[in-house]
Amino acid sequence: MLGLMMNMPLMISNLIKHADAYHGDAEIVSRLPEGGIHRYTYHDAHRRSRQLANALNGLGVKMGDRIGTLAWNTHRHFEIYFGVSGIGAVCHTINPRLFPEQIAYIINHAEDDYIFFDITFTALIEALVPHCPHIKGWVALCGHGHLPKSDKIPNLMAYDDLVNSHSDIYEWPEFDENTASSLCYTSGTTGNPKGVLYSHRSTLLHAYAAALPDGLNLSARDSVLPVVPMFHVNAWGLPYSVALTGAKFVMPGAGLDGASLYELFEQEKVTLSAGVPTIWLGLLQHLQANKLRLSTVRTLVIGGSAAPPAMIRTFDEQYGITVLHAWGMTEMSPLGTANTFKLKHLGLSAADRDKIRVKQGRPLYGVQMKIVDGEGKSLPHDGKAFGDLLVRGPWITRSYFKSTDGSPLVDSWFPTGDVATIDEDGYMQITDRSKDVIKSGGEWISSIDIENLAVAHPAVMEAAVIGVVHPKWDERPLLLIIKKKDMNVTREEMLEFMSGKIAKWWMPDDVVFVDSLPHTATGKLLKTKLREDFQNYKLPTA
Ligand code: ADP
């Protein structure tokens, strides 16, 4: 027997309709790449999204067509999220920090019809034009006055002209909730980027889960500033979750340095922000150097890489700000876990709570997780056993866009490529990437644990641990360190500092001081490069 409830598809257009209807005067504020602050409301954003929908129809954009964006977080990008997906087309956000060849590959692979770009990327667009012959038009995200003067970009138009020349009378169509809504390519440290194709249904379910109190805890009383870019897994889904809750939305444009963020945080009374650890390091340095305090921020969401324990503690103890450690990936829309306490943890000592806080967190309802050994056998959730982390759920990818390699799934589970423990309470902790784990004499050593320990030394700015070939043990850990300016530490002092804090057989066989470490376009350590650089390194123990 079927239930008798209404069968209404989960549509992205309903989010902006809802925000307009019930939070129409809530503000959306953007720092514009061309300068100045732009301020309007959900009501205005909905109106402009409808104008954009008419404009896209006028350009001949149909359901399923892909529209690319190379853009910062601004109100225009926000309108594109809703206008493009709303008509049934696919909003394809592209990471401008990738190499131009990768960007051209992605645009061609996605078969984008139009590219909407911020004028700060004009030189990049000029370089892309010859490699993307099928693009029908290039839309600069600006008003008429800022249209780039370029004769190298064919069919160039100003976004505001395009939008303003169309009516705002538009009824959002209703269609199958499994229709593709947006597309984001993984940055991928090896091989070509792979396209993750989200649907209206997956986006809505993710938006609900993210807003929950043990998710990001969003409400109509929040002022939310995503530092995480809208070209990076839909800014972790925040544009959708704020529309769902009616939170004020503040977008930083291209100003991601500590000083610019601080100014916006204070001016717009931001309560919650989200970004990768490097961003918060920059902010922290700015606060400390200028003896500043954040007067309204209650939560900083940190994800993308492990939040350093020292940073979590500093924000908490010195600034009264909760760091919400979250984990996910492009293939997961991206949220998988968030780290919040349970009732029974509230009475714990600060030290015991710290031990929980450094973990990546508990799964949001909708995400299932398990860890398996090399043979695919499930491992216990005891907080000690670590193995490959597999996930499933309605906002997790089952196949890559136009992939010819078959499904990535293993028995209907998605292999995350992370190695993790899960404890009795469901808290997951990443110990490594599958390909970065060091295999010493058949046992696994977590490079991340050693790195976390190394950066706790006051003279260490950044650390990386890689496995280096060893004749007896196959691989042994090598620790690479960038020292802080004007600080010194020797190899022996470093090893002495670490001794006793990790298992003896996890201790690095050598320490090398370097001036820099390679990173990916999204700021993660590029260990493939490091392993290449040190492939012939001779350990003293070898
Ligand atoms: P994103 O672009 O959002 O970082 P990617 O798909 O590029 O997502 O990368 C996902 C990977 O980033 C994860 O598989 C994991 O290795 C790493 N990651 C994400 N969040 C965390 C975290 N909180 N702690 C440690 N690693 C993380």
Side-chain angles (χ1 to χ4, degrees):
M1 184 163 44
L2 293 177
L4 291 173
M5 308 313 278
M6 291 185 198
N7 202 354
M8 286 173 69
L10 301 172
M11 297 275 93
I12 287 178
S13 54
N14 278 335
L15 287 173
I16 190 75
K17 255 167 95 171
H18 173 86
D20 179 4
Y22 305 109
H23 307 279
D25 62 351
E27 274 187 310
I28 297 178
V29 181
S30 318
R31 173 171 270 148
L32 299 180
E34 67 265 33
I37 295 277
H38 177 274
R39 198 176 285 279
Y40 71 171
T41 63
Y42 280 111
H43 179 69
D44 301 321
H46 187 204
R47 177 174 45 77
R48 299 246 309 174
S49 302
R50 294 196 307 270
Q51 287 179 284
L52 174 61
N54 279 323
L56 291 168
N57 283 333
L59 290 173
V61 177
K62 299 180 304 299
M63 282 202 56
D65 289 351
R66 272 80 67 200
I67 301 298
T69 66
L70 275 158
W72 299 109
N73 297 3
T74 68
H75 69 290
R76 295 188 181 104
H77 208 176
F78 186 80
E79 293 161 8
I80 294 170
Y81 264 46
F82 291 97
V84 171
S85 302
I87 68 165
V90 177
C91 178
H92 172 207
T93 54
I94 306 164
N95 184 346
R97 293 184 184 135
L98 299 176
F99 296 117
E101 305 79 64
Q102 278 179 314
I103 297 179
Y105 169 88
I106 287 175
I107 291 175
N108 290 322
H109 186 268
E111 299 175 78
D112 293 329
D113 282 333
Y114 288 87
I115 299 287
F116 289 61
F117 66 97
D118 267 323
I119 55 174
T120 43
F121 301 125
T122 303
L124 171 64
I125 298 295
E126 288 180 337
L128 288 172
V129 166
H131 303 284
C132 305
H134 64 274
I135 295 292
K136 295 177 184 156
W138 303 81
V139 184
L141 293 170
C142 60
H144 196 72
H146 286 99
L147 191 64
K149 290 181 186 38
S150 169
D151 52 11
K152 298 202 182 98
I153 308 176
N155 295 329
L156 175 64
M157 52 200 120
Y159 176 82
D160 286 354
D161 290 348
L162 182 67
V163 168
N164 292 340
S165 60
H166 286 84
S167 156
D168 64 1
I169 300 171
Y170 184 82
E171 281 297 327
W172 297 110
E174 212 171 77
F175 39 81
D176 185 340
E177 64 182 14
N178 289 299
T179 302
S181 59
S182 52
L183 175 64
C184 183
Y185 281 70
T186 57
S187 27
T189 45
T190 50
N192 278 325
K194 297 190 283 267
V196 177
L197 190 61
Y198 310 102
S199 69
H200 286 256
R201 174 184 160 80
S202 71
T203 303
L204 267 284
L205 293 175
H206 180 270
Y208 270 115
L212 284 172
D214 276 347
L216 306 184
N217 189 13
L218 301 174
S219 79
R221 295 164 297 289
D222 276 310
S223 170
V224 176
L225 186 151
V227 182
V228 50
M230 288 165 79
F231 54 73
H232 198 163
V233 218
N234 303 322
W236 299 349
L238 282 168
Y240 307 113
S241 288
V242 292
L244 181 140
T245 52
K248 173 175 173 177
F249 203 38
V250 184
M251 289 173 278
L256 305 183
D257 57 289
S260 308
L261 287 176
Y262 177 79
E263 192 185 287
L264 217 47
F265 279 157
E266 285 301 294
Q267 200 173 289
E268 303 305 328
K269 300 193 171 23
V270 170
T271 55
L272 179 139
S273 186
V276 294
T278 20
I279 290 289
W280 304 127
L281 267 183
L283 178 71
L284 201 52
Q285 279 162 3
H286 180 73
L287 295 178
Q288 287 167 338
N290 299 287
K291 300 206 168 29
L292 299 169
R293 296 202 65 80
L294 289 164
S295 51
T296 53
V297 175
R298 69 174 159 80
T299 303
L300 294 177
V301 185
I302 303 195
S305 301
M311 188 196 287
I312 300 180
R313 213 170 307 123
T314 307
F315 272 119
D316 181 23
E317 289 169 7
Q318 294 177 25
Y319 295 90
I321 293 172
T322 302
V323 165
L324 180 67
H325 197 183
W327 164 87
M329 56 197 309
T330 308
E331 286 88 339
M332 299 178 70
S333 301
L335 278 178
T337 63
N339 193 332
T340 56
F341 291 119
K342 294 184 174 182
L343 181 61
K344 66 179 179 185
H345 296 138
L346 299 182
L348 291 180
S349 69
D352 283 339
R353 284 159 62 120
D354 275 356
K355 284 189 204 136
I356 298 173
R357 283 200 299 189
V358 297
K359 301 191 177 200
Q360 273 68 19
R362 293 182 280 119
L364 305 182
Y365 173 74
V367 175
Q368 296 170 17
M369 302 198 308
K370 68 172 178 179
I371 43 173
V372 298
D373 65 12
E375 274 80 56
K377 199 163 94 316
S378 282
L379 293 168
H381 294 186
D382 59 6
K384 292 188 196 77
F386 59 98
D388 289 311
L389 177 64
L390 306 182
V391 292
R392 2 178 1 203
W395 57 82
I396 295 168
T397 201
R398 66 167 187 270
S399 186
Y400 292 105
F401 184 50
K402 285 173 41 180
S403 162
T404 49
D405 300 340
S407 168
L409 304 191
V410 181
D411 295 335
S412 82
W413 289 80
F414 180 81
T416 62
D418 287 318
V419 174
T421 60
I422 301 175
D423 69 18
E424 294 86 345
D425 288 318
Y427 290 82
M428 183 275 286
Q429 182 163 26
I430 298 202
T431 55
D432 232 321
R433 295 288 294 164
S434 308
K435 52 192 186 304
D436 295 339
V437 79
I438 300 159
K439 300 196 171 109
S440 169
E443 297 286 341
W444 289 10
I445 298 178
S446 152
S447 62
I448 294 180
D449 278 6
I450 312 178
E451 285 160 11
N452 280 345
L453 178 55
V455 292
H457 189 286
V460 174
M461 165 113 146
E462 197 179 355
V465 172
I466 52 167
V468 175
V469 182
H470 191 283
K472 179 164 175 207
W473 302 107
D474 292 338
E475 274 183 355
R476 289 294 303 156
L478 169 68
L479 171 60
L480 306 166
I481 284 178
I482 307 179
K483 282 189 260 194
K484 279 192 191 145
K485 228 173 117 217
D486 305 326
M487 301 273 263
N488 208 7
V489 57
T490 63
R491 171 187 186 279
E492 284 66 35
E493 283 164 353
M494 203 57 224
L495 292 174
E496 173 66 31
F497 170 78
M498 299 171 81
S499 169
K501 298 188 182 106
I502 43 170
K504 211 161 162 205
W505 63 280
W506 282 35
M507 285 288 286
D509 280 22
D510 206 2
V511 182
V512 173
F513 296 95
V514 291
D515 294 329
S516 66
L517 288 166
H519 291 94
T520 66
T522 50
K524 292 175 200 184
L525 271 172
L526 194 52
K527 292 207 181 166
T528 38
K529 173 82 171 57
L530 281 177
R531 278 193 290 268
E532 239 170 72
D533 292 353
F534 286 87
Q535 60 179 340
N536 297 319
Y537 189 79
K538 200 149 172 4
L539 291 166
T541 50

